[in-house]
């Protein structure tokens, strides 16, 4: 229906009984996707404890100590349960796509531990008097479609009436305790392999500024709705030591978490880091998220950038990824197998991006 179908020119929708157009989802939120995450430095302050925490039970294999992707609790010799939650405000305006992206991003943390999801609970906060019911239904349908692709049900959830639209999942998965992959178990000499290109934050900023063309939008949707279900296959490779996924803290932030967990240094080569087509050009036009700058302010003191790297390189390395790629730390002899697993599942742009070395925890980029 065009703006004047059934109306006199200039007549308001209210005067004619025509429903007002639904607002753009991204216009209702102050940030979108994993760019909504609290900056790592601020998060560290919020989580700092003055009192002694309760001792963790021995069965809690992964807790908060290394900022890993999910909590893991061992049930028996054969099974450990993985628990995670992830939700955010819209990164796109299409409600079905928003639901798909949010669900893909939430399930990624299960795969990043080497596990398989078993079911999820929906987390829903919507401005009920602002968004049409059909829009909200489409968001939920998008999430359900991704869970169906992952082979799991959405078995319940919780909803509230909120000022900004929020959607995500609490996801549960299982892993054999011996197949569990933490972000903290990298070994000196390991090679770092990244499963997806960088640039989702840049593309989302361009979308908000109406500077992302149809081809760019399709690239963004394809990347952010592609499940990282290669996680269990990667975890089964004997040479894979550590796994994480690159999300809101950018490649630098999540690599730095690996370094701190393993008490090692990392080296990245900027020319080897895969970027989505057109992302650098969009960044040059000013399509940079505020989260990129907040990320650098939080952890830049632990990063050394080579003299030939530019401010734009820094922005891309700090770019917040939504449903980003898996970052694998593996023995040099396992690299071919890791790349083969990625490419067999369609991750054709997976690439070697760096290595782990002895040294003070930090990242050097050349």
């Amino acid at each position: 229906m065009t703006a004047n179908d059934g109306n006199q020119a200039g007549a308001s929708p209210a005067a004619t009984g025509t429903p007002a157009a639904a607002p753009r989802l991204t216009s209702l939120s102050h940030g979108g996707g994993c760019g909504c995450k609290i900056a790592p430095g601020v998060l560290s302050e919020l989580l700092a404890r003055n009192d002694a925490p309760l001792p963790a039970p021995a069965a809690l294999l992964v807790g908060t100590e290394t900022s890993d992707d999910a909590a893991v609790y061992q049930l028996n010799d054969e099974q450990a349960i993985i628990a995670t939650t992830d939700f955010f405000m819209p990164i796109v305006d299409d409600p079905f796509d928003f639901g798909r992206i949010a669900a893909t991003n939430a399930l990624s943390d299960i795969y990043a531990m080497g596990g398989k999801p078993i079911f999820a609970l929906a987390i829903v906060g919507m401005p009920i008097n602002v968004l049409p019911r059909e829009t909200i239904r489409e968001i939920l349908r998008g999430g359900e479609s991704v869970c169906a692709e992952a082979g799991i049900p959405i078995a319940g959830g919780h909803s509230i009436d909120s000022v900004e639209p929020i959607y995500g999942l609490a996801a549960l998965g299982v892993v054999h305790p011996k197949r569990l992959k933490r972000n903290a178990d990298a070994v000196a000499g390991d090679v770092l392999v990244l499963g997806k290109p960088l640039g989702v934050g840049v593309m989302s900023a361009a979308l908000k500024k109406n500077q992302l063309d149809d081809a760019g939008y399709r690239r963004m949707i394809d990347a952010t709705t592609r499940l990282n279900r290669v996680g269990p296959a990667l975890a089964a490779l004997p040479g894979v030591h550590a796994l994480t996924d690159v999300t809101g803290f950018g490649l630098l932030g999540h690599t730095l978490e690996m370094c701190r967990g393993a008490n090692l240094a990392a080296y990245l080569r900027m020319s080897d880091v895969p970027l989505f087509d057109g992302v650098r050009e969009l960044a040059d036009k000013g399509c940079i998220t505020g989260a990129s700058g907040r990320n650098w302010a939080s952890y830049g003191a632990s990063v050394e950038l080579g003299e030939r790297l530019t401010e734009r390189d820094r922005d891309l390395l700090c770019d917040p990824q939504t449903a980003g790629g898996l970052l694998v730390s593996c023995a040099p002899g396992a690299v071919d197998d890791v790349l083969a697993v990625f490419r067999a599942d369609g991750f054709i742009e997976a690439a070697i991006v760096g290595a782990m070395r002895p040294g003070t925890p930090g990242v050097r980029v050349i």
Side-chain angles (χ1 to χ4, degrees), residues 330-350:
C330 66
V335 169
D336 288 345
D337 289 337
V338 167
L339 290 173
V341 167
F342 271 124
R343 288 167 184 162
D345 204 44
F347 293 87
I348 59 173
E349 293 174 290

Side-chain angles (χ1 to χ4, degrees), residues 115-366:
K116 295 181 179 180
I118 52 175
F119 72 91
L121 306 175
I123 299 168
V124 183
M126 294 291 156
I128 295 299
N129 293 327
V130 175
L131 285 178
R133 301 294 191 271
E134 183 57 32
T135 297
I136 298 172
R137 281 194 291 268
E138 281 296 287
I139 294 170
L140 302 182
R141 192 171 71 86
E144 289 165 357
S145 73
V146 163
C147 288
E149 183 182 349
I152 65 169
I154 295 181
H158 185 65
S159 61
I160 61 169
D161 186 354
S162 63
V163 176
E164 295 180 285
I166 297 168
Y167 180 70
L169 301 175
L172 280 296
V174 292
V175 66
H176 192 290
K178 292 183 178 179
R179 293 281 178 87
L180 169 66
K181 296 300 175 184
R182 306 190 307 158
N183 68 351
D185 293 333
V187 175
D190 275 358
V191 175
L192 294 173
V193 180
L194 178 63
K196 294 182 184 180
L198 303 182
V200 172
V202 169
M203 290 189 286
S204 67
L207 180 67
K208 271 200 163 186
K209 295 182 177 183
N210 294 314
Q211 294 186 33
L212 188 67
D213 61 20
D214 289 344
Y217 184 79
R218 287 194 297 272
R219 281 193 291 272
M220 182 173 73
I221 297 302
D222 177 67
T224 54
T225 59
R226 178 171 295 181
L227 289 164
N228 281 323
R229 54 189 171 192
V230 293
L234 291 169
L237 296 175
V240 170
H241 299 134
L243 274 176
T244 191
D245 61 346
V246 177
T247 53
F249 299 155
L251 177 59
L252 284 181
H254 293 286
T255 303
L256 185 58
E257 288 177 340
M258 269 191 169
C259 292
R260 289 170 174 164
N263 197 31
L264 295 171
Y267 292 81
L268 302 176
R269 187 181 296 274
M270 186 67 205
S271 59
D272 292 337
V273 174
L275 302 174
F276 288 108
D277 290 344
V279 159
R280 190 175 286 273
E281 292 75 15
L282 289 170
D284 287 339
K285 294 178 182 178
C287 297
I288 300 293
T289 68
S292 180
R294 293 191 296 273
N295 281 341
W296 180 254
S298 294
Y299 53 64
S302 297
V303 178
E304 178 187 349
L305 297 179
E307 59 182 18
R308 286 190 286 184
L309 269 66
T310 66
E311 182 179 347
R312 187 64 63 239
D313 293 321
R314 185 195 73 190
D315 291 336
L316 293 168
L317 291 166
C318 296
D319 188 54
Q321 304 306 291
T322 301
L326 295 179
L327 182 63
V328 185
S329 183
C330 66
V335 169
D336 288 345
D337 289 337
V338 167
L339 290 173
V341 167
F342 271 124
R343 288 167 184 162
D345 204 44
F347 293 87
I348 59 173
E349 293 174 290
I352 298 168
V353 296
M356 303 296 289
R357 296 285 187 267
T360 302
V363 183
R364 184 169 186 267
V365 191
I366 59 175

